[in-house]
């Protein structure tokens, strides 16, 4: 455990780090008697969510001391609803809309930097081996470098970071299985495999590096510490100035809300001392956009980053930002929490002709031809990017659309016997669920019944029923089990909601069919 913040300097033996999907792991950092922190890992319960140092430095005072501003009413506290984060103090009155809550000068954000020596060159070489979609690992390497550095400028920030993260890569094996959702399981296994392979690459690289050029100051780095660093970056990084991910001390302790009471304001410019340029944006670009490439880039940040109140903030209220309108897959994989309910949650499906044929037949649709569409239908599917080379076959149920527009358009087209009627419509008019039966009530009813059958098939992929999940949650299970069960339960609720919505629409079509 870290003792640096408390002033103690016990000598600590280095522990071998390891990552396994069957054990919940956490990383910790301690000072040796020479003032060096060693990166180590221990099994721990995430329920307690301790910070890296038992008695971390006061983060608010550090930000103020380094030229930042913190509103006098703000405190870092455990909020009863949001947990540890930034809240308005009870005794300081309400905060008015437009009030500046936090200001960070350009030297405080932690980000990738241009190499300044041989150790930085090695770090950059390691970062270049990381796939772009795992950009958080690139930033995580920089975080690990500062965590291992004696007397790091960012130690007051790093000491306040969680010792453990409740992201699925650290779930016990049984709780990974408890997710019961193939798309997320694929991502979890992919990240675990990456960490195990990257550990070998890192160790191979560092074995040939002299101590004076070691980016982690001679400390052992393996899959567990790499997983901690990647999780810290993915759950806390902001994208400012478009694409540059960085860690913003104190600001990253503001919790999430789809209806936030604060927003991010950027003042100044990149690579310039001109402070007159002001760019404002509500942070829905917090963290990474899934599967989007992010270049390894460096910046000189000559600007201020502020958090500004969007509305009146009452006493004891948590300060919240919008992390983005994402499904629970994103929030659990990168942040370690599940939003209940989440209006942006989705269930991912694969567009597959055989599956759609089976769903249509189960729905009572006669002679579906999803597996063998006519040439004119194939052409439209290609326009929807659901057919041909490079097709994107991932479609979804839920979220604001209720039914993925590409999926619904495909169903309407493939269930229509009349190419002329289809070609009268622009594809965009065939995609919205709210469109008034664009190809007629008979085609519409068949398409919606097929969606109902797809929902039923999706529900069958879960091994437990809703009542089973609710019973588990009532039993106060361990946190990782609770998160896994909450995640799958919300997916089931989403599917049921979609089925109810579609059923209502089918009933509304009945009078139209009888008069058609």
């Amino acid at each position: 455990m870290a003792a640096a913040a408390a002033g103690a300097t016990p000598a600590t033996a280095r522990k071998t780090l390891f990552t396994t999907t069957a054990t919940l792991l956490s990383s910790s950092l301690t000072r040796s008697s020479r003032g060096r922190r060693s990166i180590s890992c221990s099994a721990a319960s995430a329920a307690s969510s301790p910070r890296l140092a038992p008695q971390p430095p006061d983060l608010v005072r550090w930000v103020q001391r380094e030229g930042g501003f913190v509103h006098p009413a703000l405190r870092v506290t455990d909020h009863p609803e949001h947990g540890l984060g930034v809240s308005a103090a009870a005794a300081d009155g309400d905060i008015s809309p437009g009030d500046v809550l936090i200001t960070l000068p350009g030297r405080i954000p932690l980000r990738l930097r241009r190499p300044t020596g041989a150790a930085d060159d090695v770090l950059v070489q390691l970062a270049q081996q990381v796939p772009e979609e795992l950009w958080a690992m690139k930033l995580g390497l920089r975080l690990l470098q500062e965590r291992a550095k004696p007397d790091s400028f960012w130690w007051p920030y790093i000491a306040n970071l969680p010792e453990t993260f409740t992201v699925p890569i650290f779930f016990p094996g049984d709780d990974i299985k408890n997710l019961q959702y193939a798309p997320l399981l694929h991502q979890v296994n992919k990240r675990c495999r990456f960490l195990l392979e990257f550990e070998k690459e890192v160790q191979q690289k560092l074995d040939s590096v002299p101590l004076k050029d070691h980016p982690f100051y001679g400390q052992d780095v393996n899959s567990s510490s790499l997983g901690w660093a990647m999780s810290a970056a993915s759950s806390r990084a902001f994208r400012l100035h478009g694409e540059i991910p960085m860690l913003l001390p104190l600001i990253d302790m503001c919790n999430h809300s789809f209806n936030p009471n604060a927003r991010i304001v950027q003042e100044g410019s990149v690579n310039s001392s001109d402070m007159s340029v002001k760019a404002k944006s509500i942070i829905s670009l917090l963290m990474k956009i899934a599967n989007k490439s992010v270049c390894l880039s460096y910046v000189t940040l000559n600007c201020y980053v502020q958090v500004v109140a969007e509305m009146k903030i009452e006493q004891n209220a948590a300060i919240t930002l919008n992390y983005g309108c994402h499904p629970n897959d994103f929030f659990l994989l990168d942040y370690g929490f599940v939003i209940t309910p989440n209006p942006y949650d989705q269930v991912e499906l694969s567009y597959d002709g055989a599956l759609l044929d089976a769903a249509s037949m189960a729905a009572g649709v006669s002679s579906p031809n999803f597996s063998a569409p006519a040439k004119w239908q194939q052409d439209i599917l290609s326009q929807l990017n659901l057919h041909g080379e490079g097709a994107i076959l991932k479609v979804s149920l839920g979220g604001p659309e209720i039914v993925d527009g590409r999926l619904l358009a495909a169903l309407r087209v493939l269930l229509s016997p009349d190419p002329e009627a289809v070609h009268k419509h622009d594809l965009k008019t065939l995609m919205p669920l709210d469109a008034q039966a664009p190809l007629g009530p008979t085609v519409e009813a068949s398409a919606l019944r097929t969606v109902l059958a797809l929902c039923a098939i999706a529900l069958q992929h879960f091994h437990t029923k809703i009542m089973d999940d609710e019973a588990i949650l009532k039993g106060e299970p361990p946190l990782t089990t609770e998160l896994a069960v909450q995640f799958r339960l919300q997916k089931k609720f989403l599917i049921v909601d979609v089925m109810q919505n579609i059923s209502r629409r089918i009933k509304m079509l009945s009078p139209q069919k009888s008069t058609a």
Side-chain angles (χ1 to χ4, degrees):
M1 302 293 290
T9 57
T12 55
R14 293 180 185 171
K15 298 180 180 179
T16 301
L17 304 182
F18 63 99
T19 294
T20 173
T21 58
T23 306
L24 178 64
L25 299 177
S26 65
S27 295
S28 61
L29 201 85
T30 58
R31 265 192 209 273
S32 71
S33 57
R34 293 182 299 167
R36 174 183 293 168
R37 302 186 199 87
S38 63
I39 304 173
S40 63
C41 175
S42 62
S45 169
S48 57
S49 299
R51 287 184 252 187
L52 205 57
Q55 296 176 328
D58 189 313
L59 188 57
V60 170
R61 291 183 179 178
W62 176 70
V63 168
Q64 293 170 331
R65 187 173 67 245
E66 298 302 329
F69 169 80
V70 181
H71 193 287
L74 297 190
R75 302 287 187 275
V76 175
T77 59
D78 271 309
H79 191 274
E81 179 183 353
H82 295 275
L84 184 66
V86 181
S87 299
D92 286 83
D94 296 339
I95 296 173
S96 300
D99 282 359
V100 175
L101 303 178
I102 302 171
T103 300
L104 298 184
R107 67 190 302 238
I108 289 184
L110 177 59
R111 57 198 179 277
L112 287 167
R113 65 184 181 187
R114 293 186 183 278
T116 58
D120 285 350
D121 287 335
V122 174
L123 191 77
V124 168
Q125 292 168 21
L126 292 174
Q128 289 173 338
Q129 298 179 49
V130 178
E132 294 298 338
E133 65 183 274
L134 296 178
W135 63 266
M137 186 71 266
K138 297 176 185 286
L139 183 56
L141 289 170
R142 178 78 178 93
L143 176 63
L144 271 186
Q145 183 183 40
E146 290 300 327
R147 182 180 166 182
K149 181 180 180 180
D151 302 317
S152 167
F153 169 77
W154 283 280
W155 174 244
Y157 165 64
I158 295 170
N160 277 277
L161 292 176
E163 184 184 30
T164 65
F165 289 95
T166 55
V167 293
I169 61 170
F170 290 136
F171 278 17
D174 287 344
D175 285 333
I176 291 179
K177 295 178 183 177
N178 280 333
L179 293 168
Q180 298 182 9
Y181 184 65
L184 185 59
L185 288 171
H186 172 74
Q187 290 297 323
V188 174
N189 291 330
K190 182 178 179 180
R191 292 191 180 193
C192 289
R193 287 195 300 270
F194 163 76
L195 288 170
L196 292 171
E197 290 300 318
F198 191 49
E199 173 191 47
K200 298 175 184 177
E201 296 176 14
V202 170
Q203 292 180 346
Q204 182 178 13
K205 181 68 175 178
L206 297 182
D207 283 346
S208 60
V209 173
L211 180 60
K212 65 182 179 64
D213 298 333
H214 198 291
F216 307 111
Y217 300 88
Q219 302 303 318
D220 296 324
V221 175
N222 62 28
S223 54
S224 182
S225 55
L226 292 170
W228 176 88
M230 184 171 70
S231 300
S234 73
S235 64
R236 308 180 81 84
F238 293 71
R239 290 187 186 280
L240 302 181
H241 305 287
E243 295 297 335
I244 304 161
M246 61 184 71
L247 295 165
L248 301 180
L250 191 60
I251 290 178
D252 64 11
M253 298 190 77
C254 297
N255 284 297
H256 165 74
S257 173
F258 289 130
N259 299 295
N261 56 22
R263 62 187 171 94
I264 294 285
V265 174
Q266 302 169 47
E267 294 191 2
S269 61
V270 182
N271 298 325
S272 169
S273 59
D274 178 12
M275 299 297 293
S276 64
V277 179
K278 180 179 291 186
K280 298 184 179 180
S281 63
I282 299 177
I283 286 297
S284 58
L285 291 177
L286 274 173
M287 304 298 301
K288 75 178 185 62
I289 299 174
N291 299 323
K292 183 173 182 180
S293 295
V294 178
C295 297
L296 183 61
S297 56
Y298 314 95
V299 295
T300 301
L301 192 64
N302 296 304
C303 67
Y304 284 81
V305 180
Q306 294 183 329
V307 175
V308 178
E310 274 280 87
M311 61 185 70
K312 179 181 177 181
I313 301 176
E314 298 179 350
Q315 298 176 25
N316 295 318
I319 307 303
T320 56
L321 298 169
N322 187 353
Y323 292 10
C325 300
H326 301 293
N328 276 332
D329 312 44
F330 177 88
F331 287 118
L332 183 57
L333 187 64
D334 279 350
Y335 290 88
F337 62 76
V338 174
I339 296 177
T340 58
N342 180 352
Y344 304 97
D345 203 13
Q346 297 177 333
V347 169
E348 182 181 317
L349 304 173
S350 178
Y351 183 88
D352 178 82
L355 172 65
L356 292 172
D357 278 340
S360 291
M361 287 187 287
V365 177
S366 60
S367 304
N369 64 336
F370 292 103
S371 297
K375 178 63 170 62
W376 68 272
Q377 292 171 324
Q378 290 180 19
D379 291 342
I380 295 176
L381 290 177
S382 295
Q383 294 178 51
L384 293 169
N385 208 11
L386 292 172
H387 179 76
E389 187 177 353
I392 300 175
L393 301 179
K394 184 176 76 172
V395 293
S396 61
L397 300 172
E401 282 189 308
I402 309 300
V403 179
D404 189 301
R406 294 191 307 139
L407 171 62
L408 187 56
L411 294 176
R412 286 167 168 163
V413 169
L414 293 177
L415 290 169
S416 174
D418 187 353
E420 291 186 6
V422 173
H423 285 121
K424 289 179 181 178
H425 293 272
D426 185 279
L427 269 183
K428 292 182 179 179
T429 66
L430 298 178
M431 296 173 71
L433 182 60
D434 289 335
Q436 297 298 315
L439 299 180
T442 300
V443 171
E444 190 73 1
S446 296
L448 295 182
R449 288 204 304 271
T450 302
V451 172
L452 274 181
L454 284 174
C455 289
I457 292 171
L459 272 178
Q460 291 173 0
H461 279 82
F462 293 97
H463 311 313
T464 55
K465 298 179 179 179
I466 288 177
M467 63 180 67
D468 299 328
D469 294 345
E470 291 176 331
I472 292 172
L473 294 176
K474 288 180 180 178
E476 298 183 358
L479 179 58
T480 54
T481 303
E482 179 183 351
L483 286 170
V485 174
Q486 277 185 345
F487 174 83
R488 74 190 190 210
L489 180 60
Q490 291 305 307
K491 295 294 184 188
K492 296 172 190 176
F493 283 151
L494 179 157
I495 294 171
V496 171
D497 288 344
V498 172
M499 295 178 76
Q500 292 174 343
N501 187 305
I502 297 300
S503 296
R504 288 194 298 269
R505 294 174 186 272
I506 292 174
K507 289 181 180 179
M508 292 171 62
L509 284 172
S510 298
Q512 298 181 40
K513 290 178 64 178
S514 62
T515 58

